[in-house]
Amino acid sequence: MLYGHLDRLREDASAHLQRAQRFTGGTPADRSHRDSETTLYTDRVGQYSAVEHGLCFGRLDFQPDNGSRGEVRYIGRIGIFDEDNDYEPLLIDWRAPASRPFYLATAAAPEGVRRRRHIRTDRRTVTGIDDEVLDLDETHHTGRGAHDGVAGEAALLSALNASRTGRMKDIVETIQAEQDHVIRADLNGVLVVQGGPGTGKTAVALHRAAYLLYTHRQMLSSRVVLIVGPNPTFLRYISQVLPSLAETGVLLGTMGDLFPGVVAHTDEPAEIAEIKGRAAMVDVLAAAVQDRQRVPDEPIPIHLDILDGAAVMLDPEVIADARDRARHSGKLHNLARPIFDTEIIHALSLLVADTIGIDPYADDPLGGDDAPGDPQILEEADLAEIRRELRGEAEVLGALDWLWPILTPQQLVAGLFASTARLTAAGAPLQLQRSARSGWTPADVPLLDEAAELLGEDDTIREIIAERQRKRQIAYAEGALEIAFGSRSIDVEDEDDPELLSVTDLLEADRLAERQDESSALTPAERAAADRKWAFGHVIVDEAQELSPMAWRLLMRRCPSRSMTVVGDVAQTGDLGGAASWASALDPYVPGRWRLRELTVNYRTPTEIMAVAAGVLAGIDPDLEPPRSVRATGVDPWFRGVTPARLPDALAEAALAEAAEAGDGRLGIILPAGSFADLVPAVLKALPDAAVGDEPELSAKVVVLTVKQAKGLEFDGVIVVDPDRIVEESPRGANDLYVALTRATQRLGVLYPGTLPDSLLAVVGM
């Protein structure tokens, strides 16, 4: 019955979409309405298709009231109503308040629920049912009840023990109470979600995005929710979660994606990234801008056509005065350039006047011939004409561009890093010097954003470019219509009906060009991605402990409302510029006004593996408590020492064995970054289909990664190779090892040459 309603909803949305797409012409308001309807029904068709799997996953049976049977509610991915029966709810959206008992009810606090049912389906077929009886009296008689620790224990354990697929699945069917409280927390302010490995931080953040879009649809659908992840591999891993929850209007990106027009995925040494992430870079960039506002030590000769190639000398004092006037205007660098230009052009006009014998300020002008050097009276119109001509002089324009250049953020930052002299003048560490041809890195993006704020953007230039583009489109449309007119059949001339219409009679060039304007068809998320100044309605940051002070500065600029969800674990901080505490990261922007929620239950990592990781955590900070695992597998992690020479072959053998143990699941092999060249060939020889590279395919049966790539991911089995080198490769190597050890859902193996880190020696009793 529910799927029948879903089919009808999809057919109806498809019909509306087709009608909207067929609409042509009309007033601008009509066309705007068409575009809105097209976007609306395209989204609806996509949503109805996305919820096809697992449409209905739960049922609540409430206690009878006054002799009645008791209410029954079905819980699903979207809400479905009976339009023929006063819109009676047939399926309740999991985000609706009426669904909360499905996630919060317990035997101790049943909220009126007698029985909670988890329904498992395969497409449109029910494959299993798990019931929890929350009525204490009935539980006493039947012996069936809920586990004290988790709700929906059977469904939860079934999901946790299922093989991984290389893509994150939603947890909408198994959300636990502490997760639900985070998901449904108030929209306003900065919410920090602190949780150890396996606590479901990422899943909670994504479900929170879906909940907020459902609850605040009108506001957030137009202002867009931004989700920031640590790397492109992670974004691909989570990419299917929100569509499965019927939400598509979200922008996903990494820090390297947050400056439109720049793709910043190039790697660089951690030490350099840390320097770029320091808050002091704000002052460095401000100094770099001022350094480009030049005042030379000597006068500049400027040869002018207006003087038949003769030169005038522009003194440093005049330039300094013009610079000071422009700076004191309070305008940003690029926006202050016209003021600087006006001052320099005015000074040059006086020099020209002196050169040709004109003195507009003479107290006692003499009559007679216009001889050079004679005082003359010059009308303001004459001086204005000189200034107009000066503005077209090539050497004048060249001098202005050299003295006060119009700069893009890319030009400013690349020019700074390419020059020792500029780095020194700006007070920047010389370690930042690099080739101008080097690619952009994620740590560069906050610097580019800061540079854009310091330089300013002249909308006049953008408008000129847009107008040129519009004229090009009209010209192209005119050409297309001419071709259409010229391609008419010759027989048309012989038709009896001289009023036969052609496309050129029905459609003008500007209207055709307008139809080809792609910007009108962009979704809000696509427009947000292209607009650096876009103010997002809500920002969610995953692995937020890795962000530098400059990265936080960028994100706060993108979210002036400070409506944010910050997700992470300070014990897993790996980047040198990352946060040592949430207070150090957030107090500069929302001092004392952020709130903390903690996730304490580990759903991913079994107790056997967590016991190993806990020893490493204690070495990071003895005061940190590992999350409590809800399950055990009965399989202890293995540790295998080999000689350095035998490590490649031993890894190949272990990979083959663990891949077999994983069955239909996925095996992750986590290597030290410095060991890739030595170890990857052996893995590929044994397992040719293994995925490896900057953005490995996570759906592969075996994936080889660094710790940085593995952040936020999970695999059925994991082999951690050479943990001692993992620790040594970074000043925060212990944090990296903690991350590596907690990626497995079933099995963990540790392969090492030589010795183990002390934190692991204590655990394995060596």
Side-chain angles (χ1 to χ4, degrees):
M1 178 270 292
L2 290 174
Y3 275 108
H5 277 80
L6 179 66
D7 289 340
R8 287 190 289 275
L9 288 170
R10 182 161 41 209
E11 290 167 2
D12 184 61
S14 296
H16 278 87
L17 176 59
Q18 291 172 9
R19 283 196 294 272
Q21 290 173 331
R22 284 196 297 266
F23 176 83
T24 59
T27 66
D30 292 333
R31 296 194 296 273
S32 176
H33 180 68
R34 174 203 64 197
D35 293 340
S36 297
E37 282 207 327
T38 299
T39 300
L40 172 65
Y41 289 110
T42 297
D43 287 344
R44 285 191 181 177
V45 170
Q47 289 170 350
Y48 295 144
S49 297
V51 300
E52 176 73 30
H53 178 66
L55 174 64
C56 174
F57 56 80
R59 166 176 155 169
L60 292 173
D61 294 355
F62 286 84
Q63 295 284 4
D65 184 22
N66 297 325
S68 65
R69 172 177 173 268
E71 182 187 359
V72 174
R73 298 178 191 169
Y74 284 94
I75 313 300
R77 294 175 181 273
I78 61 171
I80 294 179
F81 302 89
D82 187 350
E83 297 181 5
D84 298 328
N85 190 20
D86 200 23
Y87 285 87
E88 178 186 353
L90 303 174
L91 184 68
I92 299 175
D93 193 300
W94 67 273
R95 296 164 288 189
S99 295
R100 289 208 78 182
F102 187 76
Y103 301 109
L104 299 183
T106 65
E111 301 193 24
V113 176
R114 180 179 65 84
R115 179 177 63 184
R116 172 171 47 217
R117 168 170 290 178
H118 290 265
I119 303 170
R120 299 194 302 275
T121 58
D122 181 6
R123 298 186 182 276
R124 300 190 174 196
T125 301
V126 175
T127 60
I129 292 174
D130 297 307
D131 282 350
E132 293 176 272
V133 178
L134 304 183
D135 183 289
L136 291 177
D137 292 334
E138 188 171 343
T139 300
H140 176 74
H141 292 298
T142 63
R144 295 182 301 166
H147 190 280
D148 291 336
V150 297
E153 181 183 12
L156 176 63
L157 293 179
S158 175
L160 296 178
N161 290 321
S163 296
R164 307 299 103 173
T165 64
R167 294 290 184 270
M168 177 179 279
K169 298 179 180 178
D170 64 69
I171 60 169
V172 65
E173 303 171 18
T174 58
I175 293 171
Q176 299 300 301
E178 70 172 7
Q179 297 173 327
D180 184 81
H181 288 305
V182 171
I183 290 169
R184 299 176 192 262
D186 187 66
L187 170 70
N188 298 320
V190 177
L191 174 68
V192 177
V193 184
Q194 162 71 36
T199 53
K201 300 183 297 298
T202 298
V204 165
L206 295 172
H207 287 69
R208 175 162 170 75
Y211 170 78
L212 292 176
L213 283 164
Y214 172 85
T215 309
H216 305 277
R217 177 78 61 191
Q218 186 171 4
M219 187 266 285
L220 291 182
S221 61
S222 60
R223 292 178 55 188
V224 184
V225 173
L226 170 65
I227 299 179
V228 181
N231 55 58
T233 301
F234 175 85
L235 293 183
R236 284 189 289 110
Y237 176 63
I238 68 172
S239 62
Q240 298 304 311
V241 174
L242 282 168
S244 74
L245 298 174
E247 295 297 347
T248 56
V250 174
L251 178 62
L252 276 70
T254 68
M255 288 303 303
D257 301 322
L258 295 186
F259 193 88
V262 169
V263 178
H265 294 161
T266 302
D267 290 330
E268 67 183 338
E271 295 78 8
I272 301 301
E274 187 274 329
I275 294 173
K276 292 179 180 179
R278 295 174 185 172
M281 290 300 295
V282 174
D283 296 331
V284 167
L285 291 170
V289 172
Q290 292 206 342
D291 183 52
R292 302 299 289 269
Q293 300 164 358
R294 299 182 178 94
V295 175
D297 296 329
E298 301 292 336
I300 300 176
I302 300 179
H303 297 83
L304 299 172
D305 292 339
I306 195 175
L307 297 178
D308 295 326
V312 296
M313 303 301 291
L314 190 59
D315 289 334
E317 293 80 6
V318 173
I319 298 171
D321 184 61
R323 180 194 64 183
D324 292 343
R325 286 177 180 271
R327 285 180 176 178
H328 293 157
S329 70
K331 294 186 177 182
L332 299 174
H333 173 85
N334 287 340
L335 304 182
R337 164 70 183 265
I339 298 172
F340 180 80
D341 287 359
T342 298
E343 295 295 324
I344 295 298
I345 294 293
H346 176 71
L348 287 173
S349 70
L350 298 181
L351 291 174
V352 170
D354 286 342
T355 300
I356 63 177
I358 298 173
D359 183 1
Y361 301 111
D363 294 328
D364 186 20
L366 302 176
D369 296 333
D370 294 346
D374 288 344
Q376 304 272 337
I377 292 180
L378 191 69
E379 297 293 335
E380 176 58 32
D382 298 320
L383 280 174
E385 178 63 20
I386 292 175
R387 291 194 291 269
R388 187 190 66 78
E389 292 191 36
L390 287 172
R391 289 182 181 277
E393 292 268 3
E395 283 212 20
V396 173
L397 296 176
L400 291 173
D401 285 340
W402 185 78
L403 293 170
W404 191 293
I406 295 292
L407 295 169
T408 66
Q410 294 93 318
Q411 289 171 329
L412 178 71
V413 176
L416 174 66
F417 291 161
S419 168
T420 301
R422 285 176 179 163
L423 286 170
T424 302
L430 296 182
Q431 300 100 299
L432 295 180
Q433 186 172 5
R434 72 182 185 197
S435 167
R437 293 189 296 272
S438 300
W440 296 110
T441 72
D444 290 329
V445 166
L447 304 184
L448 292 170
D449 197 69
E450 189 70 29
E453 292 292 309
L454 293 168
L455 293 171
E457 299 173 80
D458 190 349
D459 291 335
T460 303
I461 296 176
R462 185 184 297 110
E463 290 169 1
I464 291 173
I465 294 173
E467 179 62 19
R468 288 177 180 172
Q469 175 67 14
R470 190 182 73 85
K471 288 180 178 178
R472 282 196 296 268
Q473 289 176 332
I474 290 176
Y476 183 85
E478 287 174 344
L481 291 175
E482 288 176 5
I483 292 172
F485 184 81
S487 300
R488 296 174 304 163
S489 170
I490 297 176
D491 293 338
V492 170
E493 302 294 339
D494 300 328
E495 292 288 344
D496 294 334
D497 185 3
E499 300 299 323
L500 183 66
L501 297 177
S502 70
V503 64
T504 54
D505 299 313
L506 300 174
L507 190 61
E508 297 177 355
D510 57 347
R511 184 65 57 81
L512 178 59
E514 183 181 90
R515 290 188 180 184
Q516 309 311 311
D517 182 10
E518 295 180 357
S519 62
S520 63
L522 295 178
T523 66
E526 290 169 332
R527 294 199 301 272
D531 185 355
R532 190 191 68 82
K533 295 182 178 180
W534 190 278
F536 289 94
H538 191 78
V539 173
I540 295 175
V541 190
D542 205 345
E543 300 291 345
Q545 74 278 357
E546 306 295 356
L547 297 190
S548 68
M550 288 300 294
W552 281 113
R553 189 174 173 89
L554 179 153
L555 288 178
M556 292 295 174
R557 193 177 289 129
R558 293 289 196 279
C559 190
S561 67
R562 300 296 190 264
S563 176
M564 305 177 77
T565 301
V566 175
V567 179
D569 179 13
V570 291
Q572 297 184 61
T573 303
D575 286 359
L576 294 181
S581 69
W582 295 119
S584 65
L586 297 173
D587 279 348
Y589 306 99
V590 283
R593 290 184 282 114
W594 52 274
R595 57 198 195 275
L596 177 68
R597 292 282 180 86
E598 293 194 60
L599 299 176
T600 61
V601 179
N602 187 337
Y603 303 100
R604 176 207 303 145
T605 318
T607 54
E608 296 88 349
I609 296 176
M610 204 60 213
V612 174
V616 178
L617 180 63
I620 297 171
D621 186 343
D623 294 329
L624 294 175
E625 287 287 334
R628 175 178 57 86
S629 297
V630 298
R631 67 193 175 98
T633 61
V635 180
D636 290 327
W638 56 260
F639 292 79
R640 192 172 303 153
V642 298
T643 64
R646 178 160 160 65
L647 183 58
D649 291 337
L651 175 57
E653 294 166 2
L656 282 169
E658 288 299 319
E661 290 286 351
D664 294 332
R666 301 295 181 270
L667 172 67
I669 301 175
I670 302 179
L671 305 179
S675 299
F676 258 57
D678 296 330
L679 298 178
V680 167
V683 175
L684 293 178
K685 184 177 180 180
L687 296 161
D689 295 330
V692 64
D694 293 337
E695 297 183 21
E697 177 47 60
L698 299 178
S699 61
K701 187 172 178 60
V702 178
V703 186
V704 186
L705 316 97
T706 64
V707 175
K708 189 172 184 178
Q709 290 175 309
K711 284 211 165 187
L713 308 183
E714 61 182 32
F715 302 91
D716 298 87
V718 168
I719 301 175
V720 177
V721 181
D722 201 351
D724 202 43
R725 187 167 183 179
I726 289 176
V727 173
E728 291 175 353
E729 280 188 339
S730 166
R732 289 183 168 170
N735 301 62
D736 288 345
L737 180 57
Y738 182 60
V739 171
L741 294 171
T742 53
R743 299 305 96 198
T745 65
Q746 304 291 337
R747 295 173 58 85
L748 172 67
V750 178
L751 191 63
Y752 62 97
T755 61
L756 286 169
D758 291 342
S759 57
L760 290 181
L761 285 173
V763 174
V764 299
M766 300 178 67

